Amino acid sequence: ACCKGAYAGQSTGACLASLPNPPTQSPTTSGGLDIYYPNYVEWSSGKCVNDRPLPSGRPNYSTQQACCSGAYGGQTNNNCMCDAVGVCYSCTCGTQAERDAAGCTSLTCS
């Protein structure tokens, strides 16, 4: 607001460029990223997300399933894959009622 008020006619954009987080010529894309990364919360509740912005240094994967395999492959409750694939992924995903409603005919859960 200060740049706009004090330097509205400035053709070089020097005032705006000197801001800590200057605006860009192209707007930020909305929606999720085209890649997935582990959210690195408690191991058992960890999953892969595509929320913006991608945290610096975070590994990323082209699909949510690939991210789950790479980042949470040893997760015994399958929380990540249940989120990525759905309740039909494993008997550990959702409740029996949820699996029945989703038509998980390939699973035999006791």
Side-chain angles (χ1 to χ4, degrees):
C2 182
C3 286
K4 187 175 181 180
Y7 301 101
Q10 188 178 50
S11 60
T12 64
C15 182
L16 289 174
S18 68
L19 293 173
N21 295 305
T24 62
Q25 292 293 332
S26 54
T28 303
T29 307
S30 62
L33 297 167
D34 292 332
I35 56 170
Y36 290 85
Y37 61 90
N39 63 353
Y40 289 155
V41 295
E42 183 182 326
W43 176 258
S44 64
S45 59
K47 61 183 182 176
C48 291
V49 297
N50 66 341
D51 300 333
R52 292 181 185 276
L54 172 65
S56 178
R58 194 72 54 98
N60 59 81
Y61 304 83
S62 60
T63 67
Q64 193 174 16
Q65 292 90 333
C67 177
C68 289
S69 294
Y72 295 107
Q75 198 177 45
T76 56
N77 69 353
N78 293 308
N79 188 67
C80 190
M81 287 302 264
C82 293
D83 181 66
V85 178
V87 296
C88 293
Y89 177 75
S90 165
C91 291
T92 61
C93 302
T95 64
Q96 186 61 51
E98 290 170 323
R99 289 188 297 275
D100 289 345
C104 304
T105 56
S106 63
L107 290 176
T108 304
C109 304
S110 52

